[in-house]
Amino acid sequence: QLQASGGGLVQAGGSLRLSCAASGRTFSRQALGWFRQAPGKEREFVAVIRWSGLSDYADSVKGRFTISRDNAKNTVFLQMDSLKPADTSVYYCAAGPVISHSAGEYDDWGQGTQVTVSS
């Protein structure tokens, strides 16, 4: 089970830090990712990190977002800086066997946390 938290309302240019805590089993050997979905749009890839620390980002967030993980605590984080109104979405964490930009490659999903960036 994955539990995401940390969303909220922030002004453009501000920062938020999302957390996703995993429970029930260990996710230390899995890739942990973040996706987002805005109303009327498809779920899109944001960032992913492998158990080794290898990470990848969507072009739209490179240089602004940083993904990290604490394997001992079974938790993944997404530090979001220089936020833009276009970042407004529901953010979901997910776990899967490999690093992928495709939501279909992930087996476990959190419930989502709302991020709203005002202009």
Side-chain angles (χ1 to χ4, degrees):
Q1 183 178 357
L2 300 174
Q3 182 75 30
S5 61
L9 173 64
V10 64
Q11 289 188 333
S15 298
L16 282 174
R17 189 188 195 213
L18 305 184
S19 299
C20 178
S23 61
R25 64 181 177 92
T26 181
F27 289 86
S28 62
R29 288 288 179 174
Q30 293 205 299
L32 295 175
W34 289 95
F35 287 74
R36 65 187 182 187
Q37 188 168 18
K41 295 187 177 182
E42 292 187 355
R43 191 166 297 189
E44 65 172 356
F45 168 77
V46 175
V48 63
I49 186 167
R50 195 179 173 187
W51 63 271
S52 62
L54 179 68
S55 60
D56 193 18
Y57 297 89
D59 288 343
S60 59
V61 307
K62 278 181 182 176
R64 300 189 298 121
F65 290 11
T66 303
I67 190 170
S68 61
R69 65 190 289 169
D70 185 333
N71 287 333
K73 296 183 178 180
N74 243 5
T75 302
V76 62
F77 306 97
L78 186 68
Q79 177 67 41
M80 305 186 295
D81 299 318
S82 302
L83 282 161
K84 305 174 182 180
D87 295 317
T88 296
S89 280
V90 177
Y91 283 72
Y92 298 88
C93 57
V98 296
I99 284 187
S100 175
H101 290 204
S102 173
E105 295 289 342
Y106 293 81
D107 305 313
D108 295 277
W109 290 85
Q111 86 287 3
T113 184
Q114 176 70 46
V115 172
T116 303
V117 185
S118 63
S119 57

